[in-house]
Amino acid sequence: MPRRKDLPDGLDPRVGEFVTRLRRIVDDSGASLAALAEGTGYGKASWERYLDGRLLAPKGAVVALAEATGTDPVPLVTLWELAERAWSSSALRHDGATEAVLLSRARTVTAPAPGPGRPARRPMVFLAGALGALAVTAGAFLLTDGGPAGSGRTAAATPVPSAGPARGLPPGVLCAGPGCTGRDPEETGCGGEHVTTARSVTVGAALLEVRYSDTCGAAWGRLVGAVRGDTVRVTVGRVRQTGGIDDAGETIAYTPMVAVREPGEMRACAELASGQRGCA
């Protein structure tokens, strides 16, 4: 049995319990990282981060591990759902702290320099603004491509291979922008530490959330506390994605992703089996 690293300090107990369970399943199976990668379709580096607690395994990887090792997926997915909520809450707090740091740095960068009274490091600030404007312009061009929703996604998928390296996507993140439309946020690595909840509203006994990944440039809808028959739908222009509950043991439903520049472009709606409806 390999010697495991200690879990990161400050890790939420729910995440720690989930990672410990993953480790036990992997250790009991005797599978190496290479065997895990081959049996699940998720890379060795990704599994190393999942088992070290540095990245939350996506739901697809959890289900694939259960199938590869003959483990009952239901209790494992339940643990994952609890861990995912805790991980998302932690990521949201981290985003707030990061934003504060960035604002502080921005004030420092634009502070007047002594003597001439010109802003310090002005050329660097201008360059960052120019690059940001260029990225927004490119994103707008891709997102407003004409044609039906299906053909638009196909056409927009072509530039993705060059867009990924340019954006410096983190390891495990498999898409960005239009290339994410229609894909599973968990299987592409856009969830976990790369997602925040941009908006939420209560619909009956469920919680409807607008989930947004700035890393992937995409958003999706999620319904927490769902039951079979509940559905969640997102719409951006003519593009629509829908999700629901397939297994009676599941309590979270989410849609495939839609490429957006900001989460406000997307409308998420839920329709419960009870007949109640709500949108965000």
Side-chain angles (χ1 to χ4, degrees):
M1 181 180 299
R3 179 180 176 82
R4 301 288 184 193
K5 295 181 180 179
D6 292 336
L7 294 178
D9 293 335
L11 195 67
D12 188 280
R14 290 167 291 182
V15 179
E17 181 182 2
F18 170 69
V19 175
T20 299
R21 177 60 178 152
L22 283 187
R23 290 181 170 186
R24 187 177 303 120
I25 291 174
V26 172
D27 291 343
D28 290 347
S29 71
S32 63
L33 291 178
L36 281 179
E38 183 177 355
T40 64
Y42 290 79
K44 291 171 56 179
S46 295
W47 274 112
E48 184 175 11
R49 289 191 295 274
Y50 301 157
L51 296 174
D52 285 348
R54 289 180 287 144
L55 183 65
L56 185 68
K59 185 177 181 180
V62 174
V63 174
L65 175 65
E67 293 176 350
T69 59
T71 302
D72 183 359
V74 174
L76 188 58
V77 169
T78 299
L79 282 178
W80 174 84
E81 290 174 349
L82 295 173
E84 200 276 339
R85 294 180 199 177
W87 189 279
S88 298
S89 298
S90 176
L92 188 59
R93 292 193 299 270
H94 174 75
D95 288 343
T98 300
E99 182 179 3
V101 171
L102 290 176
L103 287 173
S104 175
R105 289 179 179 175
R107 295 188 187 102
T108 302
V109 168
T110 57
R118 296 175 60 84
R121 300 174 64 184
R122 188 179 184 86
M124 183 174 293
V125 174
F126 173 79
L127 177 59
L131 291 175
L134 180 60
V136 169
T137 301
F141 174 78
L142 293 175
L143 287 171
T144 55
D145 187 30
S151 61
R153 291 196 298 270
T154 301
T158 303
V160 170
S162 60
R167 290 190 57 171
L169 294 179
V173 177
L174 306 181
C175 69
C180 288
T181 296
R183 301 184 67 178
D184 188 306
E186 301 302 334
E187 293 180 355
T188 53
C190 293
E193 63 181 336
H194 303 300
V195 64
T196 60
T197 299
R199 182 77 184 274
S200 63
V201 62
T202 301
V203 182
L207 181 66
L208 173 63
E209 299 175 326
V210 174
R211 304 281 281 170
Y212 174 66
S213 172
D214 182 65
T215 299
C216 295
W220 61 96
R222 184 172 77 166
L223 193 61
V224 180
V227 298
R228 179 174 288 179
D230 293 350
T231 59
V232 54
R233 181 183 71 253
V234 295
T235 306
V236 177
R238 290 172 294 176
V239 180
R240 175 179 293 185
Q241 302 290 346
T242 303
I245 294 292
D246 297 324
D247 191 318
E250 295 182 355
T251 59
I252 295 180
Y254 59 91
T255 71
M257 293 183 287
V258 179
V260 295
R261 292 186 293 267
E262 56 184 31
E265 297 177 357
M266 189 188 77
R267 179 177 175 83
C269 294
E271 182 171 353
L272 307 187
S274 63
Q276 293 173 294
R277 300 180 181 181
C279 295

